[in-house]
Amino acid sequence: MNYFSLNHKAPTVNFEEATVNGIAPDKGLYFPESLIPLDKLMLETIEFMSNEQIAYEVIRQFVNKSIPKKELRKIIAETLNFDFPLVKLDERTYSLELFHGPTMAFKDVGARFMARCLGYFNRNKKDQKIRVLVATSGDTGGAVAHGFLGVEGVEVIILYPSGKVSEIQEKQLTTLGQNITALEVDGTFDDCQAMVKQAFLDEELSTLNLTSANSINVARWLPQMFYYFFAYKELKPLHKKLVFSVPSGNFGNICAGMLAKSLGLPIEFFVAATNLNDTVPQFLKTGTYSAKPSTATISNAMDVGDPSNFVRIQQLYSNDTEALKETFTSFSFSDDETKKAMKEIYTKTNYITDPHGAVGYLGWQKIKEEFPDALGIFLETAHPVKFLETVEETLSTKIAIPQQIKELVINNKQSIKIKNYDELKLFLKK
Ligand SMILES: *Cc1c(COP(=O)(O)O)cnc(C)c1O
């Protein structure tokens, strides 16, 4: 299978080229040229398969000849070496916990898969390392850094705004060592991002093999399909229709779920639950897509005013919005509604959600009457400890600190302070 650019002005490429390029030369997102439905027998016998077997069957056609079978199996095994528990909250509501990876955020899976693919593609070029350059406002950087930790042939340079990330987030970025370097920028997240963009455009750095680990990369996007298959595997014996509610920012995760459906996974309906950044809910209401600057909320990993993966969702439905609406809707929720939901879930079931998961829960609540025969699964995308202050304040309770975080806090921070682009360039050239 090959990938074409959604801007239609760039050559078709294979999985390796799509992963290495990240974005097509015409600035379009890569999209699979063809989709082969999965074997019906596989879906009928899925409960007898391991997560690794499922993942392999699901991703195989997308990777195709770019990675040999044995190597792909190894990459999958290393990517998925933690659990994806489904927690029942009431007769019809489940939380799919995607936060049991090393940085306790669901982006671990995509980052780990992508890192290992890049490592494989660069296997014979040990003298010519790939350098991944990332700007982070906090959460993504940790997952990317950890995902790439120890991957041979790849060096990761993370730029983060000094004093503007939480203590836990900073520790996740700065204590890894090995092939990960944290640059602490005297400025804002926007400054970090501007410097990264400038580096990619800088002719003088063109020999350095710079690449990005952006969420639009196919190798980060596609493995997110796995979650939906894992949930289906557990719920299949109940013979119920399934509705997924996905807390959405860049809409990559939900788009992967919809791709899973188009491969044959029987999912009845999708809800994209957003915070106040309501570009997509507005689009469904008015028919006009208008990107806007992002608004800060307590579910800050979803503060996105122009969700990059929405064009992929539209493509899946041949840009037919009416057809899309038959399986998809999107609602926006305020911070107050989110906090109220966190309290409600905690009071009723003793379950603690983070603000992102709570937005997902709200999406299901809003639609559940329309699907009286279905079970609702909301994706819990981050461990509550990652949003400690908000969670403890909202629920007036203390949450237990997981071992991963305890170990983190005692490690020493190591960062290199930089003030401007010239200093970044100097660092990269040495
Ligand atoms: C990135 C992120 C999201 C949003 O996922 P998208 O694929 O960008 O829609 C939701 N929750 C958390 C915790 C995240 O880190």
Side-chain angles (χ1 to χ4, degrees):
M1 175 207 291
N2 283 325
Y3 296 83
F4 68 95
S5 161
L6 288 177
N7 283 350
H8 303 282
K9 292 193 187 72
T12 304
V13 295
N14 64 19
F15 179 74
E16 173 169 356
E17 294 162 311
T19 301
V20 172
N21 292 352
I23 194 160
D26 63 359
K27 307 277 174 249
L29 268 65
Y30 284 118
F31 195 85
E33 245 182 359
S34 59
L35 296 171
I36 309 162
L38 288 166
D39 186 1
K40 284 222 169 61
L41 191 64
M42 179 213 148
L43 291 168
E44 279 163 21
T45 55
I46 196 166
E47 62 266 48
F48 304 107
M49 296 171 77
S50 68
N51 282 355
E52 288 174 25
Q53 284 170 322
I54 295 170
Y56 177 79
E57 293 302 327
V58 170
I59 203 88
R60 201 172 59 167
Q61 65 172 307
F62 296 92
V63 174
N64 204 4
K65 297 205 178 76
S66 290
I67 301 175
K69 284 183 185 174
K70 203 172 143 222
E71 196 64 36
L72 182 58
R73 286 194 191 277
K74 190 173 142 222
I75 290 174
I76 288 171
E78 287 175 9
T79 301
L80 298 179
N81 66 351
F82 46 87
D83 294 332
F84 301 85
L86 192 62
V87 179
K88 184 173 178 179
L89 298 192
D90 62 44
E91 277 317 303
R92 293 183 57 205
T93 309
Y94 292 79
S95 165
L96 179 60
E97 295 186 347
L98 303 179
F99 58 69
H100 294 267
T103 74
M104 319 205 92
F106 87 96
K107 291 185 177 74
D108 280 330
V109 168
R112 288 159 75 82
F113 186 79
M114 177 184 168
R116 283 157 183 79
C117 291
L118 270 185
Y120 175 77
F121 297 145
N122 210 41
R123 66 198 176 283
N124 297 326
K125 305 173 204 149
K126 293 284 148 57
D127 47 331
Q128 250 270 325
K129 284 193 175 177
I130 293 184
R131 293 190 192 186
V132 176
L133 203 56
V134 220
T136 184
S137 57
D139 224 36
T140 315
V144 169
H146 224 289
F148 281 83
L149 183 66
V151 174
E152 271 185 53
V154 185
E155 201 181 312
V156 178
I157 298 126
I158 299 189
L159 283 76
Y160 75 96
S162 180
K164 295 190 176 64
V165 303
S166 76
E167 189 196 346
I168 290 177
Q169 286 172 336
E170 183 169 45
K171 291 274 182 171
Q172 284 185 327
L173 299 171
T174 57
T175 58
L176 292 165
Q178 296 185 50
N179 57 332
I180 315 293
T181 307
L183 299 182
E184 184 174 350
V185 176
D186 182 14
T188 62
F189 168 62
D190 291 335
D191 296 328
C192 298
Q193 206 161 26
M195 283 164 119
V196 167
K197 280 196 180 147
Q198 198 174 344
F200 284 122
L201 296 171
D202 194 330
E203 293 284 334
E204 282 180 52
L205 301 179
S206 64
T207 55
L208 283 186
N209 240 353
L210 291 179
T211 188
S212 78
N214 201 291
S215 67
I216 57 176
N217 194 298
V218 293
R220 268 192 66 183
W221 170 45
L222 296 168
Q224 303 179 91
M225 283 189 291
F226 304 157
Y227 315 138
Y228 301 85
F229 285 89
F230 298 164
Y232 175 68
K233 167 180 153 177
E234 283 201 42
L235 294 173
K236 181 170 168 277
L238 301 179
H239 303 289
K240 292 278 195 177
K241 290 180 176 157
L242 305 182
V243 172
F244 280 89
S245 179
V246 185
S248 298
N250 254 323
F251 284 62
N253 194 359
I254 193 165
C255 182
M258 297 172 85
L259 189 64
K261 178 177 165 66
S262 66
L263 295 180
L265 188 67
I267 297 175
E268 189 68 15
F269 202 78
F270 289 92
V271 184
T274 76
N275 57 30
L276 279 189
N277 295 279
D278 64 349
T279 304
V280 172
Q282 282 304 326
F283 166 74
L284 293 182
K285 251 186 231 153
T286 63
T288 310
Y289 183 95
S290 65
K292 31 186 151 174
S294 63
T295 307
T297 73
I298 56 168
S299 47
N300 57 30
M302 313 198 295
D303 294 349
V304 180
D306 187 8
S308 39
N309 281 291
F310 192 60
V311 287
R312 280 184 170 141
I313 292 181
Q314 290 175 296
Q315 177 68 30
L316 267 177
Y317 289 82
S318 310
N319 296 304
D320 177 347
T321 307
E322 290 314 307
L324 171 65
K325 283 180 180 170
E326 284 170 24
T327 31
F328 172 89
T329 194
S330 187
F331 303 118
S332 150
F333 301 97
S334 68
D335 281 355
D336 281 344
E337 289 171 302
T338 307
K339 288 185 190 167
K340 218 175 123 212
M342 289 165 68
K343 281 187 213 152
E344 180 186 307
I345 301 166
Y346 186 55
T347 315
K348 280 191 186 160
T349 69
N350 223 17
Y351 186 75
I352 299 179
T353 48
D354 96 293
H356 303 77
V359 170
Y361 170 86
L362 283 167
W364 163 239
Q365 292 305 308
K366 188 129 179 170
I367 196 118
K368 66 193 268 199
E369 303 311 327
E370 284 179 46
F371 295 90
D373 304 328
L375 302 177
I377 302 117
F378 69 89
L379 306 197
E380 176 46 300
T381 46
H383 192 290
V385 78
K386 297 203 78 176
F387 300 89
L388 195 64
E389 252 175 52
T390 307
V391 174
E392 293 195 332
E393 212 178 277
T394 306
L395 303 181
S396 313
T397 188
K398 287 275 169 208
I399 50 182
I401 309 291
Q403 196 57 31
Q404 281 116 303
I405 303 290
K406 280 190 198 153
E407 284 166 15
L408 200 66
V409 180
I410 49 175
N411 291 338
N412 282 330
K413 160 181 161 182
Q414 278 185 313
S415 70
I416 298 173
K417 295 199 174 177
I418 63 167
K419 286 201 186 64
N420 51 43
Y421 181 69
D422 289 336
E423 292 187 16
L424 170 65
K425 198 162 161 177
L426 216 59
F427 171 81
L428 291 172
K429 281 167 84 176
K430 76 163 194 310

